[in-house]
Every structure is written in structure tokens, then in C-alpha cells.
Amino acid sequence: MTLDPVHVAGAGMIRFGKYPREVTLETMGASAARQAMTDAGVGPADIEALYVGHVFGGPVAGQRIGARIGLAGKPVSNHENYCSSGATALREAWIAVGAGLYDLVLVLGVEKMTDRIKGGVQPDAGDLDAASGFIFAAGHALSARRYIADYGATREQIAMVAVKNHAHSVMNPYAHYQKPVSLADVLTARPIAEPLGLLDCSPISDGAAAVVVASQAGLRRLGVASAPKVAGCGLVSGTVQTGLGDVNEEDVSRRAGEEAYRVSGIGADEIDLVEMHDCFTIAEIVRLEGLGVLPRGEGARLTEAGHTSLGGRLPVNPSGGLLSRGHPVGATGVAQICELFWQLTDRAGGRQVEGARTGLAYCKGGSVSGTDGASVTTVIMTR
């Protein structure tokens, strides 16, 4: 099926961070939604449907938020794909608008974690990995050790992902953290899982982000001549793995990237910037390699050399990424789309990627024992 062109007409976020208990999921979601609608120049009467990504928001979170912002009675769908939840909600909206079902819809990603999650997030209690005591930090520590052994990378090179992303976030008013960290800070931070320390790990955050998605008819209703286009969305799940395999093969990332490249007609060599799911420092490196935007085994060295920094050949996470912008899991995917929207409309301020015309956002959510991942989304946007 060929979809009609789909665009992002406006974006809104609240600053990610740790909010007191009285700042509720509904409050945060409503605030981001109103900002996105204001940015797009639409009111509740213009919005035809609401798509909401969240993980820990409880039953019908989207309907609870929709009632607060004047969308009661409209079609509302809730989407849970762990860290890919917000991006999955965007993909469903992209399909619906591209198929001609709607002209203007609202996509919201929202999460309140700090009063619901203690320590790190884990697989579902019924999953074999959880039953055996597996935590995500341990899996990524294994990835880092294997990467160092296989490719001769250094601990310092991996740590430079955190240094880079914190430097970027200084220029992002929506970021959880807005101060730089040094290489020494990362290397001497409290150990979490060898070789990774606290600053190699994304924080537990609260937050919300929203975008208005429009057809070309929707843009005409808004009096907008052009807006960034959602050129393609990929969604894949992990495949069953047998034997020991290669922990850093990232076949699931390769397949997700290939799906977005196929649908959009845009290749990996045409990407100007990436918003990457850097839940841990090593994750940014191996997933970029899995997408084919960096050569396999070269990501750590290229990070150290500035290739993925602002001003480099392929800026990655100009927003600060999960490591520094923060990671309220249901909101992350939509926050990445907000960043691409601002970059492609030259509204990213001091973190603007000069000449950016094409951006890619990647999320990887959850794990299922015996597979190479649960859910991976890829979104390509163009001017």
C-alpha cells in the first residue's frame, strides 16, 4: 500500500526531569499536548484523533489526558512497546493519516517514572531473563566488554559518548541535565556494571512530548505551505536466537533501518543527523553500526574523533540523547521526533545541525528472552 504524504506540523515538550508526586502524568501530558497544538496553530476541534505512547501510565491514560485537553469523544488509542511506545504511536498515526483516514491528529508520548520506578527498569517479571536476575545494565556491560575485546576499542572511547551528549544537552532547554561532564567524570562515576558507570546510563526521568501530524490537506487547512515530512517508519521485533551468537551483531537494528530506508527511498548515506536510543553509552555505538550509518567496529573510534559531535560529519543526539535529555520511556520516541522537527525547521538554536535536510530517529524497547530485542522503531524525516 502506498501512503499519501504525511507531515509534522507542530511540536511541544515539557522539560524532562524529576517532578514531585503532585505533578501527574495527566498534567505533564496535557501541557506538552497544548504546546504542540499551539505550535501548529490548531485547537481541540481541529484534532481528529489522539495517539498516546506510555508504559507505566495505567489503563486508558490517553483518554484521561484527552479529557483534559478538549478531546473527549475523539478516537484515542494507547500504545505500549516499552521504550519504543511513543514512536510506535507516531507510526500508527502516520499510517492512519497516510491512508486518508484523518487530516490532523495529535501524537503524545508521556511517562511519570520517578514515583513508580525504583532502580533500573527491568524485563517483565514473567520473562525468563527477569527470573534469572537479568537487568538491562548487565546486558549492556556485556556488550561493552565484548566490543572492547573484538575491536580494540578503549573504555575512554566508549565514555566519550556521554561526554558528547552532555555537551549537546547544554543547549537544549528541555533536557533533564544541562551541564557538561568531563571524561574523568564519566570514568570515575559510581560503578554500575563493569565497565559501565553511572554516567554511562540514562536516568530515570519524567516527561512528555507531542507532535501534530498532518496530511497535505491538513496543512492547507492550517494555511501552511510546507512542513517536515515523515518519509518512512520502520517497526520490527527481535528474532529467536540460537547458540551463543554475537551480542553486538544488532541484526534487529539492521532490519529496522532497512525497513525505513525501503519505505522512504532514502539510504543510510543520505542521513544528516540521528536521534539515537542511547540508553547506555555502548548502545549508541553498536546501534549506529547496526543501522549502517557507521562502519562496524569503528563507532567508538569515530565518536572519540568527533565524527558524531555537532560540527562532525554525522551529528548524533544533538538533543543530548537519553543519557542527558533524559529517558521517560513512553515519551522518548516522540521527543526524538520533536528534535527532528526543530532541526528540519532551523529552530534548534545552539544545537542546530547546519544544512540538515534528512534526519533519522531510532528507539529500541524492552527485551524478550531468547531474542535479540523486543521492539525497534526507525523514523526518517525530511524537509
Side-chain angles (χ1 to χ4, degrees), residues 86-305:
T88 300
L90 176 86
R91 180 178 179 270
E92 294 304 307
W94 170 69
I95 292 171
V97 172
L101 187 60
Y102 305 118
D103 289 320
L104 289 168
V105 303
L106 181 65
V107 179
L108 171 68
V110 60
E111 209 72 73
K112 186 70 190 294
M113 298 183 71
T114 56
D115 57 4
R116 305 179 188 205
I117 301 296
K118 302 300 180 186
V121 294
Q122 300 178 2
D124 184 78
D127 190 90
L128 180 60
D129 284 343
S132 62
F134 174 87
I135 60 171
F136 292 130
H140 288 278
L142 175 64
S143 168
R145 290 173 68 90
R146 186 74 259 171
Y147 192 92
I148 289 169
D150 286 346
Y151 301 115
T154 66
R155 172 70 182 99
E156 289 77 10
Q157 289 173 334
I158 293 172
M160 282 302 297
V161 173
V163 176
K164 167 183 71 73
N165 291 349
H166 277 269
H168 291 173
S169 73
V170 170
M171 297 171 282
N172 184 356
Y174 300 104
H176 187 150
Y177 299 123
Q178 298 180 12
K179 62 180 182 180
V181 299
S182 68
L183 180 59
D185 290 333
V186 181
L187 296 176
T188 60
R190 175 164 62 88
I192 300 298
E194 174 64 30
L196 304 179
L198 184 65
L199 293 177
D200 291 281
C201 311
S202 58
I204 299 295
S205 308
D206 305 324
V211 293
V212 173
V213 175
S215 66
Q216 291 186 322
L219 292 183
R220 288 193 293 271
R221 283 168 53 184
L222 300 176
V224 175
S226 64
K229 179 182 177 182
V230 181
C233 296
L235 172 63
V236 302
S237 57
T239 56
V240 174
Q241 306 292 293
T242 57
L244 294 178
D246 179 353
V247 69
N248 289 324
E249 184 175 2
E250 287 295 328
D251 179 68
V252 69
S253 297
R254 177 190 61 78
R255 290 186 291 111
E258 289 177 351
E259 178 66 8
Y261 303 146
R262 180 189 67 81
V263 173
S264 66
I266 293 168
D269 59 346
E270 300 176 78
I271 303 299
D272 297 319
L273 75 146
V274 177
E275 278 292 305
M276 169 52 65
H277 192 268
D278 58 324
C279 49
F280 296 87
T281 47
I282 186 62
E284 177 173 303
I285 293 167
V286 298
R287 291 166 182 176
L288 289 168
E289 294 179 6
L291 286 173
V293 296
L294 293 183
R296 190 167 185 188
E298 293 292 311
R301 180 186 65 81
L302 289 170
T303 299
E304 181 184 46

